[in-house]
Amino acid sequence: MTQSRRMLVLRAVVEDYIRSQEPVGSTTLTKDHDLGVSSATVRNDMAALEDEGYLIQPHTSAGRIPTEKGYRYFVDRLATVVPMSEAQRRGINSFLSGSVNLQDTLQRAARLLAQITGQVAVVAAPSLAKSTLRHIEIVPVSINTLLAVVITDTGRVAQHMLNVSELPDTTVLSHLVNEINAQCASVSLTRTADYVRQMSSRKEYRSISKLAETLAQAFDGMADDERASELYMAGTSRLAHQRTVADLAPLFDALEEQVVLMKLMSSLSETTQSNGVGVAIGSETHTPGLLHASVVTSGYGRTSATVDDTTKGETAEEQGREASDRTITAQDSSEPIAFVGSIGPTHMDYEATMAAVRAVARYLTAFVAHDENQTNS
């Protein structure tokens, strides 16, 4: 009983510190929380929590603040992410539905998440390595150059210039493109490259075998493409109002290391908790510049058809919760194609941040699925 009450005390300390960012004392806890015990008992519990590494006392005679271990216990006990309100969800839909394409949606999503949380928002474009082919077109642009336009299942458009000694026969080229579209739709770019390579050895494509091999190499290159420039970030200017100058330099350095950020957040989004959101606190990020920060992230994309229900159900609380459960199940059964996340101080409002990250991830999942369905219909 003492241990469970002690953890209630820990939760109260974390909640109060997140709200006030001031060390929390036993008197304040007793007054603001219905703990059912005296201030002296709460003081003893806080001392025990300090001994166990959950709290720390920054100054003698001051209250206590949570440690990484304290925040981790708190986050792990957030078994369910509280759904955003109906008004908040409508606001997300309204803000993001005005976008004109995937890139615009991702930029808007980053700005919106930064605005909701007051923290740095990071949204990754769908990885070409995890995309499948939807359609390819090859068009001549000069006497020695062809342009391959590849559209993926996530709506990304990749362009690749193909250099040739002379323009190929249009009938043979058209046959090649039609066969790729027929045989490789919904196939990964790597497997598409293998198929095109096999086509280059067939007699009907002998006259354009070099072109087919060049195209296969282009598909391989797209599949390996993990450019950090495909990260959309917003909210960095807000950091100056939350952090000391000493903290800012390493944090900005960490944010500039976009390849490191992508690896961290991509990995975190694929090893999420049961609520579909992953959280790394301080040293758990294994990134020196994020030692005093926390990262909250969720994967989005490629789930079942129930994703569309998420958006449709946003107008009713019950439907929203049901859609949330269905989306999490779908995400658990399918690897995400990209991630959305928030970076803020370790004393961030974890509940609100996790809810916002998950809500935006769910919208992006629905957007990608809807875009694909629209194209296929």
Side-chain angles (χ1 to χ4, degrees):
M1 184 66 182
T2 302
Q3 182 66 15
S4 62
R5 186 193 65 235
R6 190 175 296 163
M7 290 309 167
L8 287 177
V9 170
L10 173 60
R11 183 184 179 97
V13 172
V14 174
E15 289 175 345
D16 281 10
Y17 185 67
I18 286 173
R19 185 169 57 250
S20 69
Q21 291 162 44
E22 295 288 340
V24 181
S26 57
T27 304
T28 303
L29 283 185
T30 308
K31 183 175 66 175
D32 296 343
H33 298 268
D34 185 17
L35 298 171
V37 291
S38 67
S39 176
T41 302
V42 171
R43 192 158 48 248
N44 290 336
D45 285 340
M46 292 175 74
L49 288 166
E50 185 176 359
D51 291 339
E52 294 167 5
Y54 291 101
L55 300 176
I56 190 172
Q57 191 172 27
H59 309 290
T60 307
S61 77
R64 291 174 174 82
I65 64 176
T67 61
E68 271 187 28
K69 184 178 178 181
Y71 286 124
R72 172 48 61 192
Y73 182 90
F74 175 79
V75 169
D76 287 347
R77 295 312 179 275
L78 293 175
T80 58
V81 176
V82 179
M84 301 193 81
S85 70
E86 182 181 329
Q88 288 172 317
R89 291 197 303 270
R90 277 203 306 264
I92 290 176
N93 285 337
S94 175
F95 184 81
L96 295 181
S97 62
S99 59
V100 295
N101 55 32
L102 177 64
Q103 287 70 28
D104 187 30
T105 299
L106 299 181
Q107 287 175 329
R108 284 169 175 254
R111 292 202 306 271
L112 178 64
L113 185 58
Q115 183 181 328
I116 293 172
T117 63
Q119 298 162 177
V120 176
V122 181
V123 180
S127 163
L128 283 174
K130 296 177 182 177
S131 300
T132 62
L133 179 68
R134 181 186 295 174
H135 190 76
I136 179 174
E137 290 288 345
I138 298 180
V139 294
V141 293
S142 75
I143 196 166
N144 296 115
T145 309
L146 297 169
L147 175 65
V149 181
V150 175
I151 303 173
T152 71
D153 62 324
T154 60
R156 277 192 66 177
V157 178
Q159 298 182 355
H160 199 94
M161 305 301 289
L162 308 173
N163 296 317
V164 293
S165 57
E166 60 181 17
L167 290 178
D169 180 275
T170 55
T171 302
V172 179
L173 179 61
S174 177
H175 189 199
L176 176 84
V177 170
N178 289 340
E179 182 172 344
I180 294 173
N181 283 326
Q183 300 298 323
C184 299
S186 300
V187 171
S188 72
L189 301 186
T190 299
R191 285 176 54 200
T192 299
D194 293 339
Y195 188 85
V196 173
R197 201 165 271 118
Q198 292 170 5
M199 292 173 70
S200 69
S201 63
R202 284 160 39 188
K203 63 179 182 180
E204 64 260 45
Y205 298 121
R206 188 169 300 156
S207 64
I208 58 170
S209 59
K210 288 185 179 179
L211 170 61
E213 175 59 34
T214 302
L215 181 59
Q217 292 173 3
F219 275 118
D220 278 331
M222 293 175 200
D224 292 336
D225 188 2
E226 294 290 350
R227 290 172 298 169
S229 61
E230 296 297 331
L231 269 186
Y232 299 89
M233 193 177 296
T236 51
S237 61
R238 298 170 186 265
L239 289 175
H241 302 291
Q242 300 181 19
R243 311 303 296 269
T244 63
V245 175
D247 287 340
L248 284 177
L251 185 52
F252 278 127
D253 286 344
L255 294 176
E256 286 183 9
E257 291 289 335
Q258 295 195 354
V259 174
V260 175
L261 265 188
M262 284 195 77
K263 287 181 178 178
L264 165 64
M265 300 183 83
S266 181
S267 173
L268 194 58
S269 70
E270 292 171 7
T271 55
T272 57
Q273 300 172 208
S274 59
N275 53 34
V277 181
V279 180
I281 302 168
S283 63
E284 296 172 357
T285 65
H286 304 292
T287 306
L290 299 178
L291 195 57
H292 302 292
S294 289
V295 177
V296 177
T297 186
S298 180
Y300 73 84
R302 198 169 299 142
T303 64
S304 71
T306 56
V307 193
D308 280 336
D309 294 337
T310 305
T311 310
K312 292 175 184 174
E314 295 294 274
T315 55
E317 188 69 27
E318 295 82 359
Q319 292 176 0
R321 293 190 187 198
E322 289 170 5
S324 167
D325 293 339
R326 289 197 298 271
T327 302
I328 292 169
T329 303
Q331 284 179 324
D332 287 344
S333 64
S334 179
E335 184 183 17
I337 58 172
F339 63 81
V340 54
S342 183
I343 302 173
T346 51
H347 60 259
M348 70 165 61
D349 185 337
Y350 288 95
E351 285 189 277
T353 300
M354 291 165 74
V357 166
R358 194 182 68 174
V360 173
R362 284 165 53 199
Y363 181 92
L364 293 177
T365 295
F367 178 87
V368 170
H370 179 71
D371 185 51
E372 181 177 2
N373 292 336
Q374 287 285 90
T375 304
N376 292 337
S377 60

